Amino acid sequence: MAAPTKAERKACWGARDEFWQCLDSHGDDAAKCEKLRRAFESRCPQQWVKHFDKRRDFLKYKKKLETEGYSPPEAAGKA
């Protein structure tokens, strides 16, 4: 697989940004952003789609930790 050209990378990133913006505005309701998801998948290499999906999950988790803080779960059976 050849590396994407500069134009292909820009198209991929633009599609990703539009899809993520849609998710943000609809409370992560993927059904309302299905068309943008298909555009994102068609403009980006499959491996990039997987990476960006994981990245979004990580960024949401990081933001949650920064705003709510970390609270360790209670240890079961602690003596």
Side-chain angles (χ1 to χ4, degrees), residues 23-64:
L23 288 176
D24 289 342
S25 64
H26 291 98
D28 284 336
D29 184 358
K32 293 184 179 180
C33 304
E34 187 62 33
K35 186 176 178 183
L36 291 172
R37 174 69 188 196
R38 285 194 303 270
F40 167 50
E41 290 176 348
S42 71
R43 291 185 180 134
C44 298
Q46 174 111 20
Q47 195 63 31
W48 287 23
V49 172
K50 288 180 187 178
H51 169 77
F52 289 141
D53 287 344
K54 289 178 184 178
R55 176 114 177 111
R56 179 170 170 80
D57 290 341
F58 169 75
L59 291 173
K60 288 186 339 186
Y61 176 72
K62 181 180 172 186
K63 185 175 181 178
K64 180 180 176 186

